[in-house]
Each structure stands twice: as structure tokens, then as C-alpha cells.
């Protein structure tokens, strides 16, 4: 199953990464052998095989914690988790576009039929953004309002920060408000 799923990712293009993270050397070796076996008959073997050769990896980690660290560093758009405890990865991973939990699901389901977004961050962009959603098309307006008492307190901090940064105009804005609203 892991070999099939890796090749499903690899067939996207000759530069498509397909990476297995595992904590079992035996599973890693067996998966590599199975990938090679499946490439003998896969219709898209020319593309998937090239991608596997150039961008495929098997990374053996010692613990789930290390696997999360490596996965978060890779920050892939698609991450498929097939472990005894997929919820561990759901609760601990932070950098991914879409997470597919358990052997019952897979990336091709997400690509084609189960409704998760397919416009996902690539090239490690999952470190700072998620997939496309309706909120990306909504204008967000923010505002700030400060009470007279609060402007005195935060104004003093702002004034000192502006002085340290050499922003005299910014400092003057803070100082003016501190002076105007400070109770004497």
C-alpha cells in the first residue's frame, strides 16, 4: 500500500517528490523493493520511475517525534499518515497542506473525490500558509480603539521603542497622546 501511494505521488511529474518516513528499517526496505516491483508494470512508470529515482526518498526515524519534526520541515502539500496512531500526527504536525489519516484514505481520494481542497501550498509554503479556502477571497478589515487610560500606558512603551529604533515622528505621535491623556 505504501509503495502504491508513493508511486501515485511520483506520477504527477518527473520532479515530483515521493518520500516515505518510517520508524522501521524492515518496512523501509520492503517498500523500496515493492516500489521497484510495481514500476515494472505501472503504466506511468516512465514518469513515476524518473521521479522516484531523482526525488524519491526513504527516511528512517527513531520515533514518532522525529517523524513529526522531519515532516514539518519538509512541509509537503500532501501528507499521508498510515500508523497505529494517526491521531498523534494530527495533534502534533503543523506544516502540511492536507493530511490524510489512516490507510483507508489516500491522496488520490483528496485529489479527486472526497472534497478536501486541492489548491495546496507547495515548495514548503505549508510552513506559513494553508490551502485555498473561501476566506482567501474575503476582504478583512481591522480596526483599533484605545481608551484614554490605555493610550497613556502603551504610549510610554511605544515612545521608548520608537526612540530605540530612531523613529522620531512615531515617537512624537506617542508622546503627544501620553501628554494629552495623562492625568496630572
Amino acid at each position: 500500500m505504501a509503495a502504491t501511494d508513493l508511486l501515485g505521488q511520483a506520477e504527477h511529474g518527473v520532479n515530483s517528490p515521493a518520500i516515505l518516513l518510517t520508524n522501521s528499517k524492515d518496512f523501509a526496505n520492503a517498500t523500496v523493493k515493492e516500489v521497484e516491483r510495481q514500476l515494472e508494470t505501472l503504466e506511468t512508470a516512465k514518469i513515476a520511475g524518473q521521479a522516484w529515482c531523482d526525488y524519491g526518498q526513504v527516511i528512517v526515524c527513531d520515533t514518532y517525534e522525529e517523524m513529526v519534526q522531519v515532516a514539518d520541515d519538509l512541509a509537503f502539500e500532501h501528507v499521508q499518515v498510515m500508523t497505529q496512531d494517526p491521531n498523534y500526527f494530527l495533534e502534533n504536525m503543523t506544516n502540511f497542506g492536507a493530511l490524510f489519516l489512516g490507510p483507508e484514505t489516500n491522496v488520490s481520494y483528496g485529489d479527486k473525490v472526497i472534497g478536501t481542497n486541492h489548491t495546496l501550498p507547495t515548495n514548503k509554503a505549508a510552513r506559513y500558509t494553508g490551502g485555498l479556502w473561501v476566506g482567501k477571497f474575503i476582504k478583512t478589515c481591522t480596526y483599533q480603539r484605545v481608551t484614554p487610560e490605555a493610550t497613556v500606558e502603551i504610549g510610554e512603551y511605544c515612545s521608548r521603542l520608537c526612540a530605540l529604533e530612531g523613529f522620531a515622528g512615531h515617537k512624537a505621535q506617542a508622546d503627544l497622546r501620553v501628554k494629552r491623556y495623562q492625568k496630572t
Side-chain angles (χ1 to χ4, degrees):
M1 189 177 282
T4 300
D5 294 346
L6 287 166
L7 290 173
Q9 282 303 288
E11 76 179 357
H12 277 284
V14 295
N15 61 351
S16 295
I19 297 178
L20 170 67
L21 299 179
T22 181
N23 58 358
S24 168
K25 288 181 184 177
D26 291 339
F27 184 73
N29 292 329
T31 302
V32 169
K33 287 179 185 174
E34 181 62 16
V35 165
E36 292 168 0
R37 188 191 73 74
Q38 289 184 27
L39 280 171
E40 293 174 10
T41 58
L42 185 65
E43 290 179 34
T44 56
K46 184 175 179 180
I47 294 169
Q50 188 65 53
W52 178 251
C53 179
D54 294 342
Y55 296 95
Q57 293 183 53
V58 176
I59 301 170
V60 179
C61 300
D62 291 325
T63 63
Y64 276 9
E65 292 82 10
E66 183 183 5
M67 291 167 70
V68 166
Q69 181 181 10
V70 172
D72 275 345
D73 182 55
L74 292 170
F76 280 130
E77 63 181 305
H78 300 109
V79 178
Q80 189 169 323
V81 178
M82 294 189 294
T83 67
Q84 292 177 343
D85 186 11
N87 283 335
Y88 176 85
F89 293 87
L90 173 63
E91 293 165 3
N92 290 283
M93 284 185 64
T94 57
N95 298 338
F96 55 87
L99 196 58
F100 299 86
L101 298 168
E104 301 83 6
T105 190
N106 60 73
V107 174
S108 66
Y109 283 7
D111 287 356
K112 309 297 181 194
V113 295
I114 61 175
T116 55
N117 190 338
H118 191 61
T119 306
L120 299 169
T122 58
N123 296 324
K124 297 189 178 187
R127 291 178 176 178
Y128 59 85
T129 190
L132 186 65
W133 66 291
V134 71
K136 302 261 179 158
F137 298 99
I138 297 173
K139 179 181 173 185
T140 304
C141 298
T142 62
Y143 69 92
Q144 300 174 39
R145 183 179 296 159
V146 179
T147 66
E149 297 81 17
T151 201
V152 172
E153 186 173 345
I154 64 174
E156 290 170 348
Y157 288 110
C158 183
S159 179
R160 288 193 296 268
L161 288 171
C162 293
L164 289 170
E165 293 175 351
F167 283 92
H170 284 64
K171 182 179 183 317
Q173 291 176 317
D175 290 344
L176 173 68
R177 284 160 178 82
V178 169
K179 185 176 180 182
R180 176 170 288 176
Y181 294 104
Q182 197 167 38
K183 294 180 181 176
T184 55

